[in-house]
Structures are given as C-alpha cells and as structure tokens.
Amino acid sequence: MIRLFLSLCSILPLKINHIFGALIGKSLYIFGSEAKRVSAQNVEICFPELSLKDQKSLVKNALIHTGKNLTESGLIWNQSFSKNVNYVFDFNGEHYLDNQKKTILLVPHIGCWELTGRVLANTRKVTFMYKPLRSQKQNDYLFKRRNKGNLTMVSADKSGILKIQRALKNRELIGMLPDQDPGEEGGIMSPFFNKEANTMTLLAKIANKNDLQVLMFWAKRLPKGRGYELNLEPVELDLNGDTLEDHVASMNRCVEDLIRKMPEQYMWSYKRFKATHSYN
C-alpha cells in the first residue's frame, strides 16, 4: 500500500504533488494524529515564548510541510539524480565544496533533506550515514532507492564508521543527520532549545580527528511547488570551547539557529526529547 502511494506521488508534477501533500498535512492536524500530538509538545518545549494561538499555527504549518515531505519523497526517490537536480531553483554556498579540506555535511531534518545528497551525488561521490528503520521491508525499499550511483548509504554502526573513514581517505563528501536520538552509546546530553537532548557525538569526533570542514546543508522548500533552494554554510564546532561536550553543544546551537529561521519546515513530529520527556 505504501509503495503504491509513493509510486502515485512519483508521477505527479511537483506543484500538484505539494498540493496533495498539503492536504495530507491538514488532515493530520484536523483529525488529531500522533504527528500533531508530538509536534505540539515539541513546539511547546522549544517555543514557550509563543502564545497558544501562535504555537497552534506553527504546528499546523509544520504538519502541512510534513505532508509535502511525504509526497515529495515518493517523487524524489523514484526519479534519477539528474531529474532531481531540475527541482533546484538556486544553490547558495556551493563554492565551499571547492575547499581543499575534506568535508563533512551536517544535514538536519528540515526542508527536503532527501534531495540534498542526491543533488551532490549527480556529480560527486557522497557517503551518507543513516539509522535503519525497524521495518525490514521499509528499510529495504528505501535503501534500494537511496543507495545508488555516486550515493552510498552506510548504517550507523561500527561497519558504517569504517566505511566513513574509507570515504574520507578517498576525499569523498560525507553526510550525517545530527538531530536523531543516537541511543545510549552514541550520544551525550546536550542543550537544544534550552532543554537537554540526547545528541550524537560521532560527527564532532570525526570532524575533530580529521580536521574536517563542517558545512550545514539544507534544502528549503519553496512555495507553490516552485522547487527548492539549496544552502551550504560553514559551521564552527569550537565556538563554545575545546571539549567534545562544547563541540556537540555548538552543533546543536547551529541546528537550532537554522530551525528558528524556518521553523515550519522542521520535522517536529519526531520525538527529539524522548530521553528526558514523556510524550503523552
């Protein structure tokens, strides 16, 4: 059923695809879905200064973008990298990729993150680390569509870290999503919107060990299905100090700053604070 739905989404023009996705997002809001419940709690945690009316408005708009993210993923996954590139309206900061330093990409769950690695992989070799899904069928489906051409997907485990190191040695681009709960062994508690969140340490460790250039990378979703604006921006991990804890805190702050610029496009439906917060 899910595969049929995503196949349908893949044949819709992007403008129609996003209208369809917006309708799904509005339904998630109207019918009191779990996505709405989790998003509302996360928005309340992260934006306590907003009025209840403004929080509800942000949740509604965020769910509309969640719907668009769902439908556009079917489109992106089922098309070639070269066709994916056609959706890019503008690409800011691409010159940072010409730096002589090896580069790691920090890719938060904001905008159309599925597009980022595929656009780069159209002309460059890119290795992305991912967290496998619980459903083996869904995992196999996504892996088949993500792991192709110049784009290599590696799991977040010891074998994946070895592949990351090998890719670095070959001067390939490396990408990581920094705002997932990494579990008990892969993270430390670090401030995120003034609340402690279990945060991955791997990106900071690899960046420091290999003296890498760290670039924040995101694809802003443009209105009315016009496409996407890609952005690369340097990130300094040592702004708060020299320890691993300081660098992880800096990473979280950079992600937070980006979210504040376009909060409606962030994936608020993810239980980011599950290590310290009970989602009711």
Side-chain angles (χ1 to χ4, degrees):
M1 188 66 178
I2 294 177
R3 296 186 185 189
L4 180 62
F5 170 79
L6 293 174
S7 295
L8 170 63
C9 293
S10 71
I11 63 176
L12 298 175
L14 185 60
K15 185 174 182 178
I16 305 301
N17 182 290
H18 276 179
I19 291 174
F20 184 30
L23 289 173
I24 293 174
K26 289 177 181 177
S27 297
L28 291 173
Y29 183 82
I30 292 170
F31 295 109
S33 62
E34 182 182 8
K36 177 184 178 180
R37 178 174 56 79
V38 174
S39 297
Q41 291 182 65
N42 281 334
V43 167
E44 183 181 8
I45 290 169
C46 296
F47 294 99
E49 72 277 10
L50 293 181
S51 67
L52 182 59
K53 179 181 178 181
D54 287 340
Q55 287 184 8
K56 288 182 176 180
S57 177
L58 175 53
V59 170
K60 181 179 180 180
N61 289 327
L63 288 175
I64 287 172
H65 279 279
T66 296
K68 291 180 180 181
N69 177 260
L70 175 63
T71 54
E72 74 191 2
S73 293
L75 182 70
I76 290 166
W77 289 332
N78 288 291
Q79 291 186 355
S80 66
F81 294 172
S82 58
K83 285 189 176 180
N84 289 166
V85 173
N86 292 333
Y87 298 125
V88 178
F89 183 81
D90 199 5
F91 196 158
N92 302 311
E94 189 175 8
H95 63 279
Y96 289 116
L97 297 175
D98 298 328
N99 194 310
Q100 294 300 311
K101 272 191 172 185
K102 297 174 184 178
T103 299
I104 189 166
L105 305 170
L106 192 159
V107 187
H109 288 86
I110 194 167
C112 184
W113 63 85
E114 289 287 350
L115 185 69
T116 54
R118 296 172 71 92
V119 169
L120 293 183
N122 191 49
T123 56
R124 302 172 174 87
K125 286 190 174 184
V126 186
T127 298
F128 250 85
M129 180 165 278
Y130 76 102
K131 190 175 181 179
L133 301 175
R134 292 181 181 178
S135 169
Q136 189 60 47
K137 284 187 177 181
Q138 291 181 15
N139 198 63
D140 292 343
Y141 175 84
L142 294 183
F143 187 82
K144 182 178 179 181
R145 281 153 181 79
R146 287 170 167 169
N147 189 76
K148 57 174 62 176
N150 286 329
L151 182 58
T152 301
M153 305 298 296
V154 300
S155 55
D157 52 27
K158 290 182 179 179
S159 66
I161 294 173
L162 290 175
K163 291 175 182 176
I164 287 283
Q165 294 288 2
R166 191 178 308 127
L168 277 175
K169 193 172 291 186
N170 294 330
R171 306 196 71 83
E172 296 175 16
L173 292 172
I174 299 210
M176 291 187 186
L177 286 77
D179 49 351
Q180 286 180 307
D181 189 307
E184 294 181 4
E185 296 183 2
I188 58 174
M189 301 305 293
S190 185
F192 186 59
F193 282 93
N194 296 315
K195 187 174 180 68
E196 295 291 300
N198 190 19
T199 307
M200 71 176 301
T201 59
L202 183 60
L203 187 146
K205 287 178 178 178
I206 291 178
N208 292 334
K209 180 180 178 180
N210 297 277
D211 189 28
L212 302 183
Q213 171 185 227
V214 181
L215 297 177
M216 182 89 79
F217 190 27
W218 72 98
K220 181 180 180 179
R221 191 176 294 111
L222 299 178
K224 299 181 180 179
R226 289 195 294 122
Y228 306 89
E229 176 191 276
L230 265 60
N231 298 273
L232 283 164
E233 189 174 278
V235 169
E236 298 294 336
L237 296 182
D238 58 355
L239 292 179
N240 294 325
D242 295 327
T243 67
L244 177 63
E245 290 77 10
D246 294 331
H247 294 173
V248 172
S250 291
M251 180 182 73
N252 268 357
R253 185 53 192 264
C254 290
V255 173
E256 179 182 333
D257 288 345
L258 174 61
I259 294 170
R260 290 185 181 277
K261 294 177 183 177
M262 41 190 283
E264 71 284 351
Q265 294 202 27
Y266 189 62
M267 191 178 70
W268 293 109
S269 56
Y270 177 69
K271 296 179 180 179
R272 183 67 184 91
F273 301 100
K274 62 184 179 182
T276 57
H277 181 78
S278 177
Y279 287 90
N280 301 317

